[in-house]
Amino acid sequence: MSEENYMRIIDLRGKKLTRAEMLEAMPRAEMGTNEATELVQPILDDVKARGAAALRDFAEKFDHIRPEHLRVPVEAMKAAVDELDPEVRAAIEESVRRCRAVSASQVPAPFHTDLAEGARVAERWIPVQRVGLYVPGGKAVYPSSVIMNVVPAQAAGVESLAIATPPSRSSSDGLPDKTILATCSILGVDEVYAVGGAQAIAMFAYGAKGSEPQDGEILCDPVDKITGPGNIFVATAKRMVSGIVGIDAVAGPTEIAIIADKGANPSWLAADLIGQAEHDELAGSVLITDSEDIADKSVLITDSEDIADKVQESLKYRVPRTEHAERVNTSLRGRQSGIILTDGIEQSIDAANAYAAEHLEVQTADPDAVIAKIRNAGAIFRGPYSPVPLGDYMSGSNHVLPTSGTARFAAGLGVHTFMKPVEVIEYDEQGLKTLAARVNAFAVSEDLPAHGECVLSRFIDDPYNKATIKEQEEQAGLR
């Protein structure tokens, strides 16, 4: 690969890899959460101990502003809506409409199973009571992430929603970005905090007492679950409070994979790769192809050498012309990015399943045949007119997706994230009587006799007299 090309080559051609070897061959960013733990732990401890006072200190340290109002005044949110560009508002409202339609379809229905007369097991889906939603700042602002977190939570029936997002660097009053505030207001969320980073996660996990009159005695009550993406410190904090509260996932850098054949448009492929690399210097860019020259972006999977060459050339043309060219260049040349060369479409599919991309585009002559064999992906984008940015903003799907290969066992955020399936066991006397002796036998086999005695006490006089148990069971009609 010439020095002018962007990405390193991972050549799988002619190799029969074990499952472990294939997983090891995939390019990954270093998460670094272990190193961040030492920095995050004192933040968690300080917020837990001092509440709002610590939050203001950390805002001053990390965001270079000391917010007067940690909880954003409702008036500021309403004003943000009034000032919102009409075209942006129309886009937000359309995104909300589509996301609500999909989320409504995701709400699971209760069910029951009758196993015998008087023996029923039912299942209810109960919404989490209070949720903290984190919306990142940093290199960009993400009103889209407000939508992706809030809408499914509302569809699930969550009673209490709180949002934390960093103070805007362009705001003199320490409030968050106005587009984010406007989006919160459009969605009907009025509990919004100008708090970012690991300190926001601590506030959600432990709650925070007020430190100034405008805070009240309690600034923020603890939540039951925290969702939303963030940087390495947010991800580390979420991992560290997991168990105290629920979390959706420990998110890593964003990533894309593209499976493409010779019929795909190389200019579009290059644009799609660049679009994802724009997010972050650590964004994953992996191209999977049978072409040695197929260059850049998250994961492009193809069996066409011609396409590979053309994509590489298109990248050389496009990268310098995009606004965040330096960031894109760093991402594409990073260890987390690369071109995976394969023998053909079947090995490309195997590589895609091993990589388990957050976003997987399939641009092939028969995309349905390829998709049928995909087991691991956060979301699949079928065909050339379903690019990843459509899912980021407007498709109706959710853009909070598993990263770093976790799509092998995890799913994207949705209504299910904010609900708990709870079984309801309903047996009447006859239903229990039919199983009582068997339950006792099972319990005794596990050396947990009190379990059996608990059931037998409802039907016999002395379940503790082991010498007469069988006789008592027969007399009670349990055998």
Side-chain angles (χ1 to χ4, degrees), residues 74 77-78 81 180-189:
V74 173
M77 297 172 62
K78 292 179 178 177
V81 175
I180 288 178
L181 295 183
T183 306
C184 292
S185 185
I186 289 170
L187 288 166
V189 178

Side-chain angles (χ1 to χ4, degrees), residues 193-271:
Y193 296 92
V195 181
Q199 58 269 31
I201 305 305
M203 177 187 72
F204 281 153
Y206 304 121
K209 59 187 177 183
S211 64
E212 296 185 9
Q214 64 270 30
D215 299 337
E217 184 178 352
I218 300 296
L219 172 71
C220 179
D221 284 319
V223 304
D224 300 310
K225 190 166 190 175
I226 301 171
T227 68
N231 64 18
I232 185 64
F233 301 105
V234 171
T236 300
K238 287 173 68 176
R239 177 177 57 81
M240 293 172 70
V241 302
S242 177
I244 300 171
V245 294
I247 64 171
D248 54 343
V250 178
T254 191
E255 62 206 18
I256 183 177
I258 305 174
I259 302 178
D261 61 18
K262 62 183 179 181
N265 185 316
S267 295
W268 295 359
L269 298 178

Side-chain angles (χ1 to χ4, degrees), residues 36-61:
T37 298
E38 295 181 5
L39 299 174
V40 168
Q41 187 64 62
I43 296 174
L44 300 181
D45 294 340
D46 199 12
V47 173
K48 183 178 182 180
R50 297 196 299 125
L55 294 174
R56 285 190 171 88
D57 288 346
F58 287 124
E60 190 169 17
K61 178 178 180 179

